[in-house]
Amino acid sequence: MKKLTSLFLAGTIAFSLFAAGTRSGRSALELFSDGQELQARKQWFDAMDLYQEALGINPQFGEVWYNMALCSYALGSYDLCVQYADNAAKYARNLADIQNLKGMALISLGRIDEAKEVFSSILKKYPNNIDARFGLAELDLLDGRISVAEGRYLDALKRDSSNRKALLSLALVSSEMGKNDAAEQYIKQALSYYSGEAEVHYMASYLAAKNGDYKVAEQRSRAAVQINGDLDKAYSLLGQILYAQNRYEEVIDICDFRIGRKRDCSTAWFLKGLSQQKLERYFDAIDTYQTGLTINPQDEVMRNALELLVSQTLAVEDPRRNMWAEFHSKKAAEFGRNFDGISERYEYQKALSVAPLNAAVRQSFAEMLERDGLYELYLQQLKFIKDNAEVLDNGPSVQRDENSPSKKRSRAQIRNDDAIENYESLMRNNISSRWNIDPFYLDKTRWNIGIYYTKKPVQLFHADLEEISALSARGAFSGVPSTAVDVETKPVSNYGEAFRLARTQGRDYFVIMTAEETERTYSIDATIYSARTGTKTSEIHVYRTGNDCMAKSLQRFRAGILDILPIRGKVLQNVQGTLLLDLGKNDGIAVDSEFNIVRKGRIETNDEGPGIKFNKKDLLGSVKVTACDEEISEGKYKKNGFYDTLNVGDEIILVKNKDEGNDKDGNAATDARPAADADGKAATEAAAQAEKAAIKESLKPVSRENDLIHLIREIL
């Protein structure tokens, strides 16, 4: 924000001359002057300390209140910024600078309507006020109206042809709109006017890197740090540029330099670990990631990068896995206390993917399954713990009597053994026992999905964000037995390449996704296509803020894909018209669910949109479920035509379902299993409600932050 008007300065300074001195002999004006020097060096806390002392002498010192608001804004304390701006306005009414600062703070608080009212009221009184136009332009960008924002910046530039923020903002906006020639022209103008300012060189570096011109980008970022050696974001951008050129040793040097200056710089730890990983120094990378997460446990991208690397390099028995799994198990317990069953299960599955031999986590996961009424899965987990007690970490301890070499069972083992005995007795007459089949060894894979991603030339926060997001998205499907999801580890250049790969690899569907982030937000935008025809099937747009925003986005991404997948299974056995099916309650079906039976291998995805199709001559009959367990069910077969041509292995596709396929805690079926019928429509009322909520979320005009807004907001 620009300095206060000379009239405001004169008034407040004159008033402060009459203020009493402090115990150190300094007046409020002297304290204010010293605070400004600290503020100019970005020593926000020290500056605010002096400002507070000045206000203790003169509570009506308006310019101190204003600068307190500026410091609070820089520290991200937007509530305080609004409060201090209101106090400043009491002693300097109609001062546009204070109101503009308040408006920017309101934007950051998400109070969009209030911010718009503030900026509009300023322009009514001061039609030529440039800062108010900047504020309204940022509101336009948040709503995705880039061309409208461009017009506001052009209006500001007409009123001040050398305005730095207008020039830099227009350069960024033009680049975002694909007007690269215009962007280059604006950045050249900014460099001609402000060649000695590091901020301008930093923006020029970013735009060059965005266009893939790493040579010019490196030159500009190095110029920025030469002008201002304290501009950490320029060092960060330089590291990203060098990383994009595979100059990993140089990247590590820059990260060490940044860490030496500020040890809690988590992005430096992340980029260093990523560079070590590229150099195949895997154990060094793991140590670096671990240190970074100790400093910033909420860095979700770094945690996912660590866990992906651990799964590829460390033995499953490595004891360090328990430490990393504990993070997820604690979060699972927290979600359980808040009755968020979907997130609770997701976190337990994450914990077990990191440390599959951790018996404490597995025990907690089993107890969650029992609570949710999934008794067969609960029994399976208890048996696993019992059968692998010797190799599991933190499992039920084995005690020995001092006078006897025989082993004693611990209390945990006794409880588990009793539970196993009780549940085995209860399930003695269930479907799997009657048919003498173990449902947990069935191959239920029905859908083959490929995830492909496009990559930006440079990221502001986490390099390789798109790749880490895609690999993490694949991991989110680990608890969905009906889907086989794979990721192409290298980015695709366009739709055509993804389509070719998906067809070659025999996919049913393929997804092209992108991921974006700011300091407080994470988003995924994905398009789902038929791998057979290449036509668009559906779209997914997810935007989350705050803690766990990446995990929540991945869960919603998973649900968005499962929403369109029909519930599909196969015939396991046929005894005199009674069929055994490999679908059960966990797959979202119930007694009286109805299926068509189709000849094996004859089901295809629709040419356009979700759902499936098949030739009528391949329709063998139908089956209606008469009994249903968690993993399998049985039903009565009705043949189609005179001859019975049904074979074991023929496929079933859902036609009609009752709304009894939800978890005990009411979680919609769409989150962890396919949830559509043959037409790709919601199979249950719960799934329909979840789909409506997702559509409403996608259509809602969400104010989304991104790199463009982040960069423009940083231009002072």
Side-chain angles (χ1 to χ4, degrees):
M1 307 299 282
K2 65 182 183 180
K3 294 292 183 182
L4 294 173
T5 62
S6 57
L7 181 62
F8 175 69
L9 277 170
T12 54
I13 292 173
F15 187 94
S16 67
L17 291 174
F18 294 97
T22 64
R23 285 178 295 178
S24 60
R26 288 186 294 175
S27 65
L29 181 60
E30 290 171 330
L31 290 166
F32 168 67
S33 180
D34 292 343
Q36 279 193 306
E37 292 181 9
L38 293 172
Q39 185 177 336
R41 297 198 295 269
K42 298 186 178 181
Q43 296 177 358
W44 314 113
F45 294 106
D46 294 333
M48 290 183 74
D49 185 40
L50 291 180
Y51 291 150
Q52 291 280 15
E53 192 174 348
L55 289 172
I57 300 170
N58 180 7
Q60 299 180 9
F61 200 153
E63 191 175 0
V64 173
W65 283 114
Y66 173 65
N67 280 270
M68 286 275 286
L70 284 172
C71 290
S72 299
Y73 185 86
L75 290 168
S77 301
Y78 302 116
D79 282 319
L80 278 177
C81 179
V82 172
Q83 179 183 331
Y84 292 149
D86 286 339
N87 286 336
K90 293 177 183 177
Y91 310 112
R93 296 184 186 279
N94 302 322
L95 189 64
D97 289 341
I98 295 174
Q99 293 302 313
N100 277 317
L101 177 60
K102 178 182 177 179
M104 297 304 293
L106 289 170
I107 291 177
S108 298
L109 289 170
R111 293 155 63 178
I112 304 301
D113 293 337
E114 293 178 63
K116 186 174 183 178
E117 184 178 345
V118 168
F119 294 129
S120 298
S121 64
I122 294 171
L123 287 176
K124 285 181 182 178
K125 296 180 180 179
Y126 310 101
N128 292 320
N129 188 278
I130 292 177
D131 287 338
R133 294 180 186 278
F134 290 154
L136 290 174
E138 186 167 322
L139 291 174
D140 292 328
L141 291 174
L142 282 168
D143 287 337
R145 300 182 303 206
I146 300 180
S147 59
V148 177
E150 180 189 29
R152 294 192 191 277
Y153 289 126
L154 285 170
D155 286 343
L157 195 62
K158 289 176 184 177
R159 288 164 171 77
D160 183 356
S161 61
S162 63
N163 186 281
R164 185 174 65 115
K165 182 162 185 173
L167 288 169
L168 293 177
S169 299
L170 278 168
L172 291 167
V173 168
S174 298
S175 176
E176 189 73 15
M177 298 174 71
K179 302 177 180 179
N180 293 328
D181 290 340
E184 186 175 355
Q185 185 61 36
Y186 288 127
I187 203 68
K188 283 182 178 179
Q189 284 182 254
L191 286 167
S192 66
Y193 287 124
Y194 307 101
S195 59
E197 293 195 17
E199 184 81 22
V200 178
H201 288 275
Y202 169 77
M203 294 296 177
S205 175
Y206 170 79
L207 289 172
K210 186 180 178 184
N211 291 328
D213 190 348
Y214 296 122
K215 183 178 179 180
V216 172
E218 182 180 348
Q219 291 173 348
R220 293 299 181 193
S221 58
R222 291 192 184 278
V225 297
Q226 286 175 356
I227 295 170
N228 182 0
D230 294 327
L231 193 63
D232 181 71
K233 65 182 181 181
Y235 284 109
S236 176
L237 180 58
L238 177 58
Q240 297 275 8
I241 293 166
L242 295 174
Y243 180 84
Q245 300 176 78
N246 304 328
R247 294 157 63 180
Y248 303 122
E249 293 289 0
E250 295 177 67
V251 175
I252 293 171
D253 289 340
I254 288 177
C255 291
D256 285 337
F257 175 78
R258 293 178 65 204
I259 292 168
R261 285 187 161 191
K262 187 180 179 183
R263 184 168 174 77
D264 62 350
C265 185
S266 63
T267 56
W269 287 104
F270 169 78
L271 191 57
K272 179 180 178 179
L274 203 59
S275 300
Q276 291 170 329
Q277 186 174 337
K278 292 292 185 181
L279 293 169
E280 298 185 358
R281 289 154 47 182
Y282 300 127
F283 296 119
D284 290 341
I286 288 172
D287 290 341
T288 299
Y289 286 144
Q290 182 175 338
T291 304
L293 288 171
T294 301
I295 293 169
N296 183 9
Q298 300 305 320
D299 191 326
E300 292 185 87
V301 179
M302 180 152 49
R303 186 171 297 280
N304 277 284
L306 169 65
E307 291 169 0
L308 290 167
L309 180 58
V310 164
S311 67
Q312 297 167 6
T313 58
L314 291 187
V316 72
E317 300 86 5
D318 194 301
R320 289 176 293 178
R321 285 175 173 264
N322 294 324
M323 172 181 60
W324 299 316
E326 185 180 4
F327 175 85
H328 292 292
S329 64
K330 286 182 177 179
K331 292 194 76 65
E334 180 182 338
F335 285 125
R337 289 191 293 270
N338 293 326
F339 305 103
D340 186 351
I342 291 174
S343 297
E344 180 186 11
R345 174 177 280 203
Y346 176 85
E347 291 296 339
Y348 274 132
Q349 289 174 337
K350 287 283 285 183
L352 288 173
S353 70
V354 175
L357 298 181
N358 189 307
V361 174
R362 196 169 289 278
Q363 183 75 37
S364 298
F365 179 57
E367 290 167 0
M368 182 204 74
L369 294 173
E370 183 190 29
R371 180 202 68 197
D372 292 344
L374 303 174
Y375 303 119
E376 291 182 16
L377 289 175
Y378 171 62
L379 179 60
Q380 180 197 28
Q381 292 296 325
L382 293 188
K383 286 183 175 180
F384 182 90
I385 294 172
K386 180 179 180 179
D387 295 342
N388 297 276
E390 297 295 334
V391 296
L392 291 176
D393 293 316
N394 301 327
S397 59
V398 176
Q399 300 175 350
R400 291 182 181 273
D401 189 286
E402 293 181 359
N403 301 319
S404 172
S406 62
K407 295 181 180 179
K408 281 189 175 181
R409 295 184 303 164
S410 68
R411 290 182 179 179
Q413 285 179 315
I414 293 171
R415 284 197 304 270
N416 283 354
D417 289 346
D418 289 345
I420 290 171
E421 183 178 350
N422 291 335
Y423 279 108
E424 283 183 333
S425 177
L426 289 171
M427 296 177 187
R428 197 161 291 160
N429 295 317
N430 67 358
I431 296 174
S432 59
S433 297
R434 293 201 306 269
W435 290 80
N436 193 27
I437 188 171
D438 190 340
F440 298 105
Y441 291 100
L442 298 174
D443 180 8
K444 290 193 168 190
T445 305
R446 297 293 177 270
W447 299 105
N448 191 326
I449 300 169
I451 296 179
Y452 307 90
Y453 63 92
T454 57
K455 188 174 182 179
K456 296 199 302 187
V458 67
Q459 288 281 356
L460 290 176
F461 300 98
H462 293 95
D464 288 352
L465 172 69
E466 301 91 347
E467 179 182 352
I468 294 169
S469 297
L471 291 169
S472 300
R474 178 185 64 185
F477 283 87
S478 61
V480 184
S482 57
T483 58
V485 179
D486 201 8
V487 173
E488 186 69 26
T489 54
K490 293 183 180 179
V492 295
S493 56
N494 52 38
Y495 158 84
E497 182 183 357
F499 183 24
R500 176 180 58 80
L501 289 170
R503 279 286 294 267
T504 303
Q505 295 162 350
R507 312 291 188 196
D508 294 306
Y509 294 101
F510 68 97
V511 183
I512 300 178
M513 66 175 288
T514 60
E516 287 190 338
E517 64 170 340
T518 66
E519 290 176 305
R520 301 178 185 86
T521 70
Y522 177 88
S523 63
I524 294 175
D525 293 286
T527 305
I528 307 170
Y529 299 91
S530 166
R532 186 176 62 85
T533 62
T535 56
K536 184 170 74 172
T537 303
S538 183
E539 291 183 349
I540 302 171
H541 302 286
V542 190
Y543 178 76
R544 294 290 184 269
T545 62
N547 292 335
D548 307 311
C549 57
M550 185 176 183
K552 293 288 188 182
S553 295
L554 291 172
Q555 291 172 50
R556 181 66 196 94
F557 171 78
R558 176 183 66 185
I561 292 178
L562 294 175
D563 282 347
I564 67 166
L565 296 182
I567 298 175
R568 180 178 169 189
K570 68 179 179 181
V571 177
L572 296 175
Q573 294 187 38
N574 178 11
V575 177
Q576 298 179 345
T578 298
L579 306 186
L580 180 66
L581 312 174
D582 72 343
L583 295 177
K585 294 177 183 177
N586 291 339
D587 301 295
I589 71 166
V591 172
D592 292 335
S593 295
E594 297 178 18
F595 294 85
N596 278 332
I597 305 174
V598 182
R599 199 180 307 274
K600 180 180 179 181
R602 302 301 173 87
I603 293 177
E604 293 181 335
T605 57
N606 277 341
D607 294 342
E608 293 184 6
I612 56 92
K613 68 174 186 175
F614 51 85
N615 195 308
K616 288 185 178 180
K617 69 178 183 179
D618 294 317
L619 179 62
L620 305 177
S622 63
V623 59
K624 186 174 183 178
V625 175
T626 55
C628 189
D629 281 352
E630 291 177 26
E631 296 296 330
I632 57 177
S633 59
E634 58 186 19
K636 283 298 180 181
Y637 168 50
K638 182 180 180 181
K639 65 183 179 180
N640 184 32
F642 182 76
Y643 296 103
D644 182 1
T645 55
L646 175 69
N647 288 328
V648 170
D650 286 332
E651 297 191 70
I652 59 174
I653 191 74
L654 183 70
V655 175
K656 183 180 178 182
N657 203 18
K658 290 183 65 177
D659 195 19
E660 295 178 4
N662 294 336
D663 296 337
K664 187 178 178 181
D665 59 359
N667 294 332
T670 49
D671 185 71
R673 57 194 176 218
D677 59 17
D679 297 323
K681 298 178 181 178
T684 64
E685 181 60 28
Q689 293 299 325
E691 185 177 2
K692 288 178 182 178
I695 293 172
K696 184 177 180 181
E697 176 186 358
S698 297
L699 294 177
K700 188 172 68 173
V702 178
S703 298
R704 292 177 56 159
E705 294 188 19
N706 52 32
D707 283 353
L708 174 63
I709 295 171
H710 170 78
L711 288 166
I712 287 177
R713 192 171 288 173
E714 284 194 330
I715 305 171
L716 301 177

